[in-house]
Amino acid sequence: MSEEIRVLISEEEIEERIREMGRQISEFYQGESVHLVSVLKGGVFFTCELAKRLSVPVSLDFMSVSSYGDGTKSSGVVKVVKDLDEAIEGKHVLVVEDIVDSGRTLSYLLDNLRSRKPKSLRLCTLLDKPERRVTDVRVDYTGFEIPDEFVVGYGLDYMQHYRNLPYIGVVELDA
Ligand code: IMP
Ligand code: MG
């Protein structure tokens, strides 16, 4: 059995979209600093590219959560694997994720962060699969809405592979 990757969103399209998002987000936080909370591991590639396109002062922290499930579906039971290094109280926090799927992981994460009293809390995701939503999550900035297909690249993995692809692709298995 071999796997092939079909390009869904090219490197150029992603870069262009991240520049636009950078402009829009910088405008929103004009005159303030923004504290990016990047969700490990998948959110890291997008976080770095987005951070480079922000013109307001930026600080960064990382959080890792794991959701118990059968591997492809999350159950909604979430555990903090690595917590933030710094307190977020009083900060303008922007959570940066690779993808919002069922919304369960993020819904937990946002509730958790909200309880720490940030000055504001917003969510930015590179990809969104709205068809798959189970839990309501307010997404403030979306790079691309995609259909219900399993994608890899730009931080997203298939069994820990393909995170380093500079584009978003769909894994096609052929026997
Ligand atoms: P949720 O709790 O269902 O929204 O889970 C979101 C998490 O599932 C993401 O942060 C990804 O780690 C993973 N995920 C969801 N869809 C995909 C996909 O198409 N490719 C790779 N990982 C995915
Ligand atoms: Mg993720």
Side-chain angles (χ1 to χ4, degrees):
M1 193 176 77
S2 68
E3 292 159 24
E4 288 207 11
I5 310 293
R6 169 167 54 85
V7 179
L8 186 67
I9 310 170
S10 72
E11 183 170 8
E12 292 71 26
E13 285 175 277
I14 298 171
E15 282 178 1
E16 179 51 35
R17 183 71 186 115
I18 293 178
R19 275 178 204 274
E20 280 172 15
M21 295 175 90
R23 281 193 288 270
Q24 190 192 356
I25 293 169
S26 300
E27 222 166 88
F28 181 79
Y29 290 105
Q30 205 53 250
E32 311 271 359
S33 301
V34 62
H35 190 65
L36 303 181
V37 168
S38 179
V39 186
L40 295 169
K41 299 168 187 167
V44 170
F45 290 71
F46 175 45
T47 304
C48 295
E49 295 308 310
L50 180 68
K52 290 194 281 185
R53 304 301 166 206
L54 295 176
S55 56
V56 291
V58 167
S59 52
L60 266 182
D61 206 345
F62 298 90
M63 193 157 169
S64 180
V65 291
S66 82
S67 104
Y68 299 99
D70 62 11
T72 56
K73 262 188 257 142
S74 64
S75 60
V77 185
V78 179
K79 187 176 89 171
V80 176
V81 176
K82 184 221 168 286
D83 204 350
L84 299 173
D85 290 337
E86 293 153 47
I88 56 168
E89 188 170 349
K91 295 181 182 168
H92 289 294
V93 172
L94 180 64
V95 176
V96 186
E97 250 291 28
D98 47 7
I99 192 164
V100 184
D101 187 34
S102 73
R104 287 184 173 119
T105 312
L106 272 168
S107 153
Y108 169 87
L109 186 68
L110 291 171
D111 286 347
N112 178 305
L113 295 177
R114 202 171 289 115
S115 72
R116 306 182 198 195
K117 312 249 185 313
K119 194 164 183 186
S120 67
L121 182 63
R122 291 170 81 86
L123 170 63
C124 176
T125 184
L126 180 61
L127 304 176
D128 188 358
K129 287 185 195 170
E131 283 169 49
R132 300 256 307 168
R133 200 73 90 255
V134 171
T135 308
D136 211 24
V137 173
R138 197 188 111 170
V139 184
D140 299 285
Y141 306 100
T142 302
F144 302 90
E145 286 194 355
I146 60 166
D148 182 11
E149 286 190 284
F150 194 82
V151 291
V152 293
Y154 234 87
L156 290 153
D157 74 300
Y158 172 58
M159 298 194 298
Q160 297 303 325
H161 286 107
Y162 305 119
R163 289 192 197 275
N164 59 313
L165 295 179
Y167 53 85
I168 298 291
V170 177
V171 185
E172 296 191 327
L173 302 170
D174 35 45

